Amino acid sequence: MDLSKQDHERIAAAVAAAERTTAGEIYCVLAPEVSDYRETPLVWAAASALVLPALALFAGLRPHMLTDLFGGWTAAHDTATDATIFSALSIYIAVQAAVFVIAALVVSLGPVRRALTPGPLKTARVHQAAMQQFLSHGLHLTQDRTGVLLFASVADHRAEVVADEGIYAKAPPEVWDEVVALLIAGLKRDDAAGGFIAAIERSGQILAEHVPPRGDNPNELPDGLVVLPRPGRD
């Protein structure tokens, strides 16, 4: 979801226009993806290695079939039986290892990894990333504690609004749900700029209603959209 120079200019202009009507501050951040979710391929690979070979046994696959499959020999006495069992177990472990590697490689593919990452984990990571941006850019340090962060993650299909205590205590929580809905609607139609602008305008209305401009109304935060780099993995 690439944004043009004109998109960035439109977003910055929308923030500037909204902030002229309020003492609050609006800050916008767009992330391609907030995490590479390294644990997802490992969890699915481990689960596959444990479950799939076991299911094969329950389906009728037996140790002697494994040894026959890989060119083993038929036991004729007790010592040979022990060797056959050891051979079958070795093959079973090798199959588990192969399943682990194959599953890890498949789930490491970007689209597969995103599809198989649990929704609650994505929500938690997006919230964590939003709070990091809120604190690292000093939205909690504005004069009246009325900073509002609009945060969206494209690949995670999630957006979040973080309002500082100076405005959150005054505006009902439902109004911020409206802001999130506007932002997500823009992302769904591949119009990130339009989604941010609609969310900015609604945020400006909320801020203007509850935090009108002061006599001195400095611009405490940059107006432009910040686009975060993609995490290390594709």
Side-chain angles (χ1 to χ4, degrees), residues 30-38 40 108-115 117 122 125-126 129 151-158 227-234:
L30 178 66
E33 187 175 20
V34 299
S35 174
D36 55 15
Y37 300 106
R38 293 175 184 270
T40 297
S108 294
L109 299 174
V112 180
R113 171 172 46 84
R114 295 183 191 107
T117 298
K122 292 181 181 179
R125 291 286 170 84
V126 170
F151 185 92
S153 177
V154 178
D156 294 295
H157 298 161
R158 278 159 175 76
V227 179
L228 300 180
R230 184 179 291 277
R233 184 180 293 185
D234 210 5

Side-chain angles (χ1 to χ4, degrees), residues 34-227:
V34 299
S35 174
D36 55 15
Y37 300 106
R38 293 175 184 270
E39 62 270 51
T40 297
L42 295 178
V43 170
W44 279 95
S48 299
L50 288 173
V51 173
L52 294 182
L55 288 177
L57 287 179
F58 282 117
L61 186 65
R62 293 293 179 262
H64 69 86
M65 298 170 64
L66 289 175
T67 54
D68 291 344
L69 180 65
F70 289 93
W73 47 276
T74 301
H77 50 75
D78 292 342
T79 302
T81 300
D82 292 341
T84 302
I85 292 174
F86 178 79
S87 176
L89 289 174
S90 299
I91 294 172
Y92 185 86
I93 293 171
V95 169
Q96 281 190 308
V99 170
F100 181 94
V101 172
I102 293 170
L105 291 174
V106 171
V107 180
S108 294
L109 299 174
V112 180
R113 171 172 46 84
R114 295 183 191 107
L116 294 182
T117 298
L121 178 59
K122 292 181 181 179
T123 299
R125 291 286 170 84
V126 170
H127 177 71
Q128 181 183 31
M131 292 305 301
Q132 288 175 344
Q133 293 298 312
F134 184 89
L135 296 173
S136 64
H137 292 289
L139 271 79
H140 61 301
L141 300 177
T142 59
Q143 184 172 335
D144 296 318
R145 299 295 301 271
T146 54
V148 174
L149 171 69
L150 306 182
F151 185 92
S153 177
V154 178
D156 294 295
H157 298 161
R158 278 159 175 76
E160 190 159 330
V161 175
V162 182
D164 205 356
E165 61 184 26
I167 179 61
Y168 189 81
K170 297 178 180 179
E174 297 79 22
V175 300
W176 302 116
D177 293 337
E178 299 174 15
V179 176
V180 172
L182 291 168
L183 185 49
I184 290 177
L187 294 172
K188 283 184 176 180
R189 61 176 185 268
D190 290 334
D191 182 15
F196 269 101
I197 290 170
I200 290 164
E201 291 173 348
R202 182 66 184 116
S203 298
Q205 294 169 0
I206 297 167
L207 288 166
E209 180 181 353
H210 298 283
V211 190
R214 301 182 304 268
D216 62 324
N217 195 25
N219 189 12
E220 300 178 71
L221 296 170
D223 295 337
L225 173 69
V226 174
V227 179

